[in-house]
Amino acid sequence: MTTPDTLRTQLSGVIAFPVTPFHDDLSLNLDGLRHNLQALKDAPICAVVAAAGTGEFHTLSPDELRQVIAVTVEELGGRVPVLAATGINTALGVQLAQQAQELGVDGLLLFPSYYPTADDDALLAYYQTLAAATPLGVLIYSRDSFNPSPGLVQRLADAIPNLIALKDGQGDTRRLQQLMHKVGERLLWIGGAGDDAVPGYYSIGIRTYTSSIANLSPEISRQLHETAAAGDSAALAQLMAHYVLPLYAFRARRKGYEVSVMKRLMDKIGLVGGPVRPPLADLRESEYAELDALADVWR
């Protein structure tokens, strides 16, 4: 089993967040998942997270999540660390954490609670319960309504010995700097709001980020990491202008497009995406011609 300390040392560079492919009837497409993971086998990534936000974690049953994790560990385990998502509530979160450990994952990404306005003491208890379910290293995911204060992050770091990192999904570098100043090197800080946030994240010293673009081209994700880490602003600006910003502008049009655009674009370039499950929104037919133009760039 990978120890928390070992996992932390491995998380440098690009963490890939694969989609979960579905058939047209919205059932799991595990063959499609295997096809996509094969394309990641020799990719320049440092880890992969099975069925997280981009992988539509919230739409999967525990058994579906089990199948996705099992396939991911089988295809990629041993090449790069495999992490799995858990959370929502303590009972389900503990069950999913222990299931993931049995399947051979290297760490866990803890999603926020279903309750959006919880008290800090209750949030501390929630994350302690999830983290204590296994000896695996855990990453806490700050996203949506869970936007913790520096004081709460310090309490979490002090109370949870196997907590190794915080993944930021807010994209607020001012607040993130406050967290980093308060807690320091006790945690690894991971940029998780999107590939378009790489310039901001790397400007404040972050050197690990989670990439949905790795679904399309892990090489481009790695180039974003390397140019930003090297401070090559001209090369980074070129990558952003040619690949990232047009894609993220399309994704921002409608809630759910951050996943559905990626999946439909994958279909266009020889990978497997398929539809998204409600309540995510799928693309409108009128937008497919524009998607073809994007596919020409990514192909």
Side-chain angles (χ1 to χ4, degrees):
M1 186 186 70
T2 303
T3 67
D5 287 344
T6 298
L7 178 61
R8 175 172 173 157
T9 65
Q10 295 171 319
L11 300 181
S12 177
V14 177
I15 302 175
F17 270 51
V19 303
T20 299
F22 299 130
H23 294 290
D24 287 342
D25 65 0
L26 298 183
S27 61
L28 281 182
N29 183 348
L30 294 178
D31 288 339
L33 177 61
R34 288 186 187 278
H35 177 79
N36 295 342
L37 293 173
Q38 287 286 331
L40 283 175
K41 275 194 171 178
D42 299 316
I45 57 175
C46 69
V48 64
V49 184
T54 302
E56 297 178 74
F57 164 68
H58 292 95
T59 76
L60 302 177
S61 71
D63 184 62
E64 288 176 325
L65 185 60
R66 179 191 61 78
Q67 294 179 67
V68 170
I69 294 171
V71 168
T72 306
V73 170
E74 182 181 340
E75 294 292 337
L76 296 180
R79 291 175 173 81
V80 295
V82 174
L83 288 74
T86 190
I88 302 178
N89 63 58
T90 53
L92 179 61
V94 166
Q95 176 189 344
L96 296 180
Q98 293 174 345
Q99 172 180 269
Q101 181 190 1
E102 292 169 1
L103 292 168
V105 303
D106 300 284
L108 298 168
L109 179 64
L110 310 185
F111 270 67
S113 158
Y114 74 93
Y115 188 61
T117 56
D119 173 82
D120 279 6
D121 290 344
L123 285 169
L124 180 63
Y126 167 76
Y127 285 109
Q128 283 182 299
T129 302
L130 296 184
T134 78
L136 296 170
V138 300
L139 294 66
I140 285 179
Y141 191 179
S142 170
R143 57 172 278 169
D144 304 324
S145 62
F146 179 62
N147 192 8
S149 68
L152 177 55
V153 176
Q154 183 69 68
R155 292 179 67 191
L156 291 164
D158 291 343
I160 303 174
N162 56 330
L163 174 61
I164 63 171
L166 183 136
K167 168 176 151 57
D168 172 71
Q170 308 291 347
D172 183 347
T173 53
R174 174 183 291 172
R175 186 177 182 91
L176 185 53
Q177 285 184 101
Q178 294 173 352
L179 302 183
M180 296 167 70
H181 177 72
K182 176 73 172 179
V183 182
E185 295 183 0
R186 164 64 183 88
L187 297 180
L188 174 67
W189 305 96
I190 299 174
D195 301 79
D196 60 332
V198 164
Y201 281 136
Y202 280 61
S203 72
I204 62 171
I206 286 176
R207 291 297 181 266
T208 305
Y209 88 99
T210 60
S211 174
S212 60
I213 278 179
N215 281 288
L216 304 171
S217 172
E219 292 77 15
I220 295 298
S221 301
R222 182 68 180 184
Q223 287 180 45
L224 289 168
H225 162 72
E226 290 178 344
T227 56
D232 188 344
S233 58
L236 179 60
Q238 188 173 21
L239 288 168
M240 295 291 293
H242 188 65
Y243 293 106
V244 182
L245 296 179
L247 173 59
Y248 270 75
F250 200 156
R251 287 167 42 130
R253 288 183 186 175
R254 196 176 178 205
K255 292 184 184 298
Y257 272 23
E258 66 274 11
V259 180
S260 54
V261 168
M262 304 305 291
K263 294 182 84 170
R264 293 304 189 180
L265 195 51
M266 291 172 71
D267 288 333
K268 294 282 187 181
I269 66 171
L271 296 165
V272 183
V276 292
R277 286 178 172 175
L280 298 184
D282 218 331
L283 269 66
R284 301 181 176 97
E285 274 192 40
S286 59
E287 294 171 312
Y288 272 86
E290 197 170 348
L291 190 70
D292 287 338
L294 267 184
D296 288 340
V297 174
W298 287 96
R299 198 176 282 117

